[in-house]
Amino acid sequence: MGTTYQSTVLNAPIDKVWATVRDFHDLSWSANVVEKVEAIGDKSGDQIGTQRVLNDAFHETLLELSDVEHSIRYSIDDGPSPVSKDDIENYIGCVRLSSVTDSNSTFIEWSSSWEKKGEADCGDFCHNIYLALLADLGNHFS
């Protein structure tokens, strides 16, 4: 099984960060990474089962969203290599926020796991994308 883990502290309270990231269809805060989000179907960005296509390439489904735990779980159903359905299966991504109470900031973790099917290795690929997403999110609050 492959995994990747990234984290950072954002200089913003958890409620503001959560309001920014909880809509599965809105990644406007990350224009350096996500150029286009296409919502698939009629479900809103906070409904379980809603689907999106990022940058005309990454097909994803929202699996869980918890306003209590400030967390999102989603799958990558298909995309370019090394995250194509020919290369991997059971890809699960998770975004989790925690409050840093002494500074009124937010600790954010972005992790994922998958089962490798082909020869491609998506570890570095995903790690670098998630680092760029976290950097954009940090810039959004600076």
Side-chain angles (χ1 to χ4, degrees):
M1 175 179 284
T3 61
T4 185
Y5 176 87
Q6 300 68 221
S7 65
T8 194
V9 175
L10 302 172
N11 189 23
I14 194 168
D15 292 339
K16 284 188 177 185
V17 178
W18 182 242
T20 301
V21 301
R22 76 179 297 279
D23 184 344
F24 196 63
H25 295 318
D26 182 7
L27 285 112
S28 59
W29 49 266
S30 186
N32 291 317
V33 179
V34 180
E35 298 171 2
K36 180 181 176 185
V37 179
E38 178 187 354
I40 306 299
D42 296 334
K43 292 184 177 183
S44 66
D46 62 354
Q47 288 184 287
I48 304 306
T50 194
Q51 297 182 315
R52 69 184 180 194
V53 178
L54 302 180
N55 297 341
D56 293 321
F58 300 90
H59 299 255
E60 301 180 341
T61 302
L62 181 63
L63 303 174
E64 293 178 16
L65 183 145
S66 172
D67 288 322
V68 173
E69 295 181 11
H70 299 100
S71 65
I72 297 168
R73 286 185 66 237
Y74 65 95
S75 62
I76 294 182
D77 308 316
D78 201 4
S81 185
V83 295
S84 74
K85 60 185 173 185
D86 294 329
D87 293 314
I88 61 168
E89 61 187 3
N90 300 321
Y91 185 102
I92 303 295
C94 183
V95 178
R96 182 175 310 276
L97 283 59
S98 300
S99 182
V100 181
T101 57
D102 69 345
S103 60
N104 198 27
S105 54
T106 302
F107 178 67
I108 182 170
E109 301 171 277
W110 203 316
S111 61
S112 58
S113 63
W114 61 89
E115 295 173 30
K116 190 173 175 179
K117 288 172 55 178
E119 295 301 314
D121 182 15
C122 73
D124 288 339
F125 178 80
C126 293
H127 177 75
N128 292 327
I129 288 173
Y130 295 144
L131 286 179
L133 288 165
L134 290 174
D136 276 357
L137 192 57
N139 290 335
H140 178 79
F141 290 106
S142 60

